[in-house]
Amino acid sequence: MNAPILVRFWPGLLPYFTVLDAMREFTRQRDADTPDQMWILQHPPVVTLGRNADAADVLDPGPIPVIRSDRGGKVTYHGPGQWVVYLLIDLPRMGINVRTLTTAMEQSVIRLLQRRGIEAHARRDAPGVYVGNAKIASLGLRIQRGRSYHGLSLNTEMDLSPFQRIHPCGMANLAVTQVHDLCPDWPSHDVAEALMAELSVSLDRPLKKGGA
């Protein structure tokens, strides 16, 4: 059996830079025997720009901080009510590449939604998961020495209006949606638990819960 991935549920709202620094430090210090981890958490309001982002895609951030990140992708918004999963995985040890990991993340969200009767799909031209023409999950990774960090965000039960302050993923007029609007009776914490279970299936790895 493949070695388990340690899952950490972080309580409250964690500042983006705090988590970014922690991911970088974990990735820098890990060695060939360090167990893989997945962190699931929420951030206070923040706009982040990936390595391919154009600052012009931030239209009017208002009071929301704008942070340059080292992940792939363009511009997105994180805020309360959105689950963010950071995947700290040794890709060569798993025998996968970044495309495999990206597909696993997309398929996990697609299956998660399908189990509640929500039809979702991925797009080759714009990574992420969509319901109709509206984006519900965003992806962005960084790989260093074969080890990944960053991951995916799933709009769950949040204020979506800050997305109007940006061109999400660099796409003007891109609609966004969330789990709560499609399935109002699905508690947010249950969504998080189900998402981690789907990631376990996609990665063919058991999960082991750890403390925050």
Side-chain angles (χ1 to χ4, degrees):
M1 178 180 292
N2 293 324
I5 299 176
L6 182 65
V7 175
R8 296 185 180 275
F9 275 86
W10 298 90
L13 300 176
L14 296 186
Y16 187 81
F17 263 135
T18 299
V19 179
L20 179 59
D21 288 345
M23 288 191 296
R24 286 170 169 165
E25 184 66 11
F26 176 87
T27 303
R28 185 185 68 81
Q29 290 193 354
R30 67 179 302 171
D31 59 28
D33 298 319
T34 303
D36 294 330
Q37 296 190 13
M38 288 195 295
W39 301 350
I40 183 163
L41 54 94
Q42 297 186 17
H43 290 301
V46 62
V47 170
T48 67
L49 293 93
R51 286 173 291 154
N52 302 319
D54 184 340
D57 286 326
V58 180
L59 306 176
D60 177 20
I64 302 172
V66 180
I67 293 176
R68 178 69 68 172
S69 181
D70 61 353
R71 60 167 173 79
K74 298 186 179 181
V75 60
T76 196
Y77 167 76
H78 299 305
Q82 178 195 70
W83 287 114
V84 183
V85 182
Y86 291 122
L87 293 93
L88 304 153
I89 291 174
D90 186 324
L91 273 62
R93 188 171 64 190
M94 277 189 66
I96 64 174
N97 58 31
V98 66
R99 181 66 247 177
T100 307
L101 181 55
T102 299
T103 299
M105 290 190 290
E106 290 173 335
Q107 291 304 311
S108 296
V109 175
I110 290 169
R111 283 198 314 273
L112 171 82
L113 298 174
Q114 284 178 338
R115 294 188 192 282
R116 287 291 179 128
I118 302 167
E119 290 299 320
H121 62 276
R123 288 173 48 172
R124 287 296 266 176
D125 64 323
V129 177
Y130 301 78
V131 177
N133 293 320
K135 194 163 195 176
I136 195 168
S138 297
L139 277 62
L141 289 168
R142 173 78 172 183
I143 310 296
Q144 286 191 335
R145 296 179 294 119
R147 283 80 179 251
S148 69
Y149 60 105
H150 293 289
L152 71 90
S153 59
L154 175 65
N155 303 336
T156 307
E157 189 173 357
M158 63 188 301
D159 176 8
L160 295 175
S161 64
F163 282 102
Q164 298 173 13
R165 296 179 175 271
I166 63 174
H167 287 155
C169 306
M171 301 168 67
N173 303 314
L174 176 66
V176 293
T177 188
Q178 61 180 331
V179 175
H180 180 71
D181 292 345
L182 302 168
C183 192
D185 62 345
W186 197 359
S188 177
H189 192 270
D190 290 356
V191 174
E193 292 277 3
L195 175 59
M196 301 311 286
E198 294 296 348
L199 282 164
S200 173
V201 171
S202 290
L203 296 170
D204 192 25
R205 299 279 296 277
L207 304 181
K208 178 182 178 182
K209 291 186 177 180

